[in-house]
Amino acid sequence: MMRERESRWSVAALLTLLPLVGACYAAEMVVNVDVSLSGHKERPFNVPDLEPNTHTYNADGSFGIFDDDAAELPPLFWEDEYSWEFNGMALNEEGEAVVPPEDCHSSSVTIRFADGEDNETVTVHYTVTANRGGDTASDSIDVVVPYWETHTPITPGEIHGAAPGECFHLGDVVPLQVVPTDVDKRVGAATEYKEDTFSFLSETYPVDGAAIMWSATTGTFLDGTDWGETVDWVADWVSASSNDTVIGVKVDDDAVIPLGEKEDREDG
């Protein structure tokens, strides 16, 4: 009988002590939570009559549980959840943009931003609850709509092929060349400086001619081609008997910017 009583007392004592140990363990616990967000930092605005763009963002959350001595402890119980903030809708499994931000709780979302040309911010919150402690960490990405502006004026460059004061005979064919340059600025997630292009096809510019147009006060251009980076000028009898021939070139940049980006890069 004495052994049986001792056994019951030991079990009762152990049951009494266990909650106290658990309470001390929870009181000493610290939950450290971290999250990082990756995804597009630029977006074109939605262009009417075109399929809106979508952008995917991925969150990577982690946590650790530590005691007062900074020793990591295994979690007895834990749960985590992602929540999102953005201006637009997320795609569902069928690829339809119908899911509002408040219903997004996975670590990855594909977003169709709302119409408009404003910059946006995507934010993720990662919340961890463990035993009696918990914490939330957040990360954000600023998503900008890129815009353009002119940076340097168009530089036609030197005309190659004919020197000032050079004399030509009737029928001489003189190859001429010019290499224009133009640098514009694109401001998006980073600032970039990009060289513009110059289209040489006259049909691209049905009103004003090609981007590079030549003129001469005397003579003609071979086959009537007075546009492009290179042309052939032909001296006529006036050119051969005069020192007053003036050859000129007019350059216009293409100034094309991608759909969904803002402002202008036209140098005029």
Side-chain angles (χ1 to χ4, degrees):
M1 291 294 296
M2 179 65 68
R3 187 172 301 171
E4 181 179 353
R5 289 178 182 176
E6 289 177 354
S7 176
R8 289 176 181 176
W9 181 89
S10 299
V11 171
L14 180 61
L15 292 175
T16 304
L17 290 174
L18 276 176
L20 296 177
V21 172
C24 294
Y25 182 70
E28 296 175 347
M29 189 172 61
V30 176
V31 181
N32 291 339
V33 181
D34 189 28
V35 67
S36 61
L37 180 61
S38 61
H40 294 272
K41 296 183 179 180
E42 295 182 357
R43 74 171 188 97
F45 61 80
N46 295 328
V47 178
D49 301 326
L50 295 181
E51 182 69 19
N53 296 278
T54 58
H55 305 273
T56 299
Y57 295 86
N58 297 294
D60 183 16
S62 60
F63 71 95
I65 301 174
F66 302 87
D67 62 18
D68 289 342
D69 296 325
E72 188 166 4
L73 303 172
L76 300 180
F77 162 80
W78 64 274
E79 61 181 10
D80 62 350
E81 182 182 67
Y82 293 92
S83 57
W84 295 84
E85 296 179 37
F86 53 84
N87 182 22
M89 290 287 181
L91 271 60
N92 60 12
E93 293 181 356
E94 288 74 35
E96 301 170 320
V98 295
V99 183
E102 57 268 23
D103 290 340
C104 297
H105 298 292
S106 66
S107 61
S108 178
V109 295
T110 298
I111 300 171
R112 180 174 294 169
F113 289 104
D115 291 341
E117 301 182 8
D118 296 331
N119 298 338
E120 302 288 356
T121 299
V122 177
T123 300
V124 64
H125 306 287
Y126 180 59
T127 300
V128 175
T129 302
N131 300 6
R132 299 182 185 180
D135 201 359
T136 298
S138 304
D139 195 15
S140 297
I141 291 179
D142 293 325
V143 188
V144 302
V145 176
Y147 69 88
W148 290 80
E149 58 185 39
T150 60
H151 178 60
T152 61
I154 296 173
T155 303
E158 182 181 351
I159 295 176
H160 300 280
E166 187 174 352
C167 295
F168 299 99
H169 300 92
L170 178 64
D172 283 349
V173 178
V174 182
L176 301 174
Q177 182 184 33
V178 67
V179 182
T181 58
D182 176 34
V183 178
D184 300 317
K185 182 164 71 172
R186 180 185 184 271
V187 181
T191 298
E192 303 173 274
Y193 296 92
K194 294 183 172 288
E195 290 194 12
D196 207 342
T197 55
F198 302 88
S199 174
F200 304 142
L201 300 178
S202 57
E203 55 263 31
T204 307
Y205 296 82
V207 177
D208 299 326
I212 300 178
M213 294 291 296
W214 295 81
S215 62
T217 55
T218 67
T220 60
F221 291 96
L222 188 64
D223 297 329
T225 302
D226 60 354
W227 51 268
E229 189 177 64
T230 60
V231 295
D232 292 315
W233 174 76
V234 183
D236 60 11
W237 68 270
V238 177
S239 311
S241 60
S242 172
N243 292 325
D244 296 332
T245 300
V246 177
I247 296 176
V249 63
K250 178 183 177 182
V251 179
D252 187 18
D253 56 344
D254 289 344
V256 176
I257 66 174
L259 286 174
E261 299 188 4
K262 300 190 295 184
E263 308 304 336
D264 193 5
R265 64 186 299 189
E266 174 63 66
D267 283 86

